């Protein structure tokens, strides 16, 4: 497999709803935890504004290559975050991983 830059994105809804203090706490805490994991670049948090999409929020981050992405997925901070925050606070989500088409 070639070494390509990966853009990892996820859109989601929270059990706490949209624009609640709990949602704000989740978004800020998630950004703090996930952006600090080695290999994560350009971490961004988004709020959905399109009426065509029923997800409320999004995260986007980039990885230099597949190895950096795989290291992120198994990093203890990420696995703990998924088990203790994501699985408990996110009601539904969709994930997408992209590389540049050449």
């Amino acid at each position: 497999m070639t070494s390509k830059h990966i853009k990892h994105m996820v859109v989601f809804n929270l059990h706490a709803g949209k624009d609640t203090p709990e949602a704000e706490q989740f978004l800020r805490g998630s950004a703090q935890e996930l952006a600090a994991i080695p290999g994560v670049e350009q971490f961004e948090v988004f709020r959905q504004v399109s009426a065509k999409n029923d997800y409320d929020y999004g995260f986007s981050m980039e990885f230099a290559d597949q190895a950096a992405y795989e290291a992120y997925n198994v990093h203890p901070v990420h696995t703990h975050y998924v088990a203790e925050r994501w699985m408990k606070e996110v009601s539904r989500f969709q994930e997408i991983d992209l590389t540049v088409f050449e």
Side-chain angles (χ1 to χ4, degrees), residues 4 46 82 97:
K4 289 187 174 186
F46 298 98
V82 170
D97 298 310

Side-chain angles (χ1 to χ4, degrees), residues 65-80:
D65 54 27
Q66 187 68 32
Y69 178 59
E70 290 172 8
Y72 163 80
N73 276 320
V74 298
H75 191 278
V77 171
H78 179 255
T79 57
H80 182 265

Side-chain angles (χ1 to χ4, degrees), residues 25-46:
Q25 182 182 21
F26 176 85
L27 297 172
R28 290 187 190 286
S30 295
Q32 203 170 30
E33 286 184 65
L34 299 176
I37 296 173
V40 172
E41 302 172 11
Q42 304 295 320
F43 188 92
E44 295 178 291
V45 178
F46 298 98

